[in-house]
Amino acid sequence: MKILVIDDHVLVREGLKQVLRTLEDNVEVFLVGTCAQGFSVALEHPDLELVLLDYHLPDMNGLDALRIFSRRHPDIPVLILSGSSNPQIMHQVLQAGAAGYSTKTSVSEELLGAVRCVLAGDIYMPPPAAQTFDQDYPAPATAPMPLSPKQEQVLCELLAGRSNPDIARLLSISEETVKTHMAAILRHFNVQNRTQAVVAATRCGYRATAKS
């Protein structure tokens, strides 16, 4: 498993590395201090499974960096780290494609829980903040035209964290057909990428299929 950590504080990076290496035996953690370095690592290692991205960085705003990651690497989930628990910031990063939001005040077990949640294809927010978030940002209305049964199947596999090739294999359809269904799903929820679709679908009551 490969994880990229982007944070401009050396001690924070090293601390995160020690925590992340307890996930499993073969965790490889890349540590960088700028967005530019992070983009380079992501290009060199397209098999990254997770990015931990600091919201405040010296060379680029974390929100802008998140949008770039979402556009260039839509299959790599990004967990935002911040010292703030402001629900407005959470709303912004989730709308921009983040797979989760965790505060830097979290203890190790809370952070590991957030990481496991995101790696499982779910969306993570700290529980107290999530309550406030749901009150301030209620789920949007769904699109007038419902998803087809096959589109719902694709969506449920997406919620399980599966890639397009995996979805194609499991549903016995071509990858091009998966992409067509995925485009329809994005239009249905009026979102720009897979992670935003997961956020919208989860809040509208859709659930992932069980992983085999």
Side-chain angles (χ1 to χ4, degrees):
M1 178 188 295
K2 294 182 179 180
I3 299 176
L4 170 61
V5 174
I6 308 175
D7 194 290
D8 58 325
H9 294 94
V10 176
L11 289 178
V12 172
R13 294 199 301 266
E14 291 295 336
L16 288 171
K17 179 178 181 178
Q18 295 304 315
V19 173
L20 293 170
R21 289 178 69 179
T22 66
L23 281 168
E24 56 182 58
D25 293 336
N26 63 338
V27 177
E28 186 175 3
V29 183
F30 300 94
L31 304 177
V32 298
T34 67
C35 291
Q37 293 171 330
F39 297 147
S40 296
V41 171
L43 287 174
E44 294 170 7
H45 299 274
D47 55 343
L48 284 172
E49 293 191 36
L50 177 66
V51 174
L52 272 66
L53 175 65
D54 185 15
Y55 186 78
H56 298 285
L57 290 162
D59 62 331
M60 183 181 294
N61 179 280
L63 191 60
D64 293 332
L66 171 62
R67 292 190 176 104
I68 292 174
F69 268 112
S70 297
R71 184 175 69 251
R72 294 181 181 176
H73 310 282
D75 291 330
I76 303 176
V78 179
L79 176 63
I80 293 291
L81 300 176
S82 174
S84 170
S85 58
N86 187 328
Q88 183 176 358
I89 295 178
M90 293 185 195
H91 176 70
Q92 290 176 334
V93 299
L94 291 177
Q95 289 298 311
Y101 186 98
S102 182
T103 61
K104 290 187 176 182
T105 57
S106 301
V107 298
S108 297
E109 284 305 314
E110 290 175 350
L111 177 62
L112 287 173
V115 169
R116 292 190 180 101
C117 178
V118 171
L119 288 173
D122 296 325
I123 302 300
Y124 179 83
M125 286 185 291
Q131 295 177 1
T132 303
F133 183 89
D134 287 337
Q135 293 170 1
D136 293 344
Y137 303 99
T142 57
M145 292 297 293
L147 294 172
S148 70
K150 184 61 72 173
Q151 289 165 355
E152 287 192 342
Q153 284 183 299
V154 171
L155 176 59
C156 289
E157 300 298 343
L158 172 64
L159 291 171
R162 294 187 173 97
S163 65
N164 283 0
D166 287 340
I167 295 174
R169 177 177 53 81
L170 287 167
L171 299 183
S172 300
I173 56 179
S174 70
E175 286 190 47
E176 287 303 316
T177 300
V178 173
K179 291 178 181 178
T180 299
H181 289 321
M182 203 68 70
I185 291 167
L186 297 185
R187 290 195 300 271
H188 177 84
F189 291 109
N190 191 29
V191 296
Q192 301 300 313
N193 58 50
R194 297 162 66 97
T195 301
Q196 291 175 344
V198 169
V199 174
T202 300
R203 301 188 69 196
C204 288
Y206 287 94
R207 294 292 179 265
T209 58
K211 284 199 174 185
S212 56

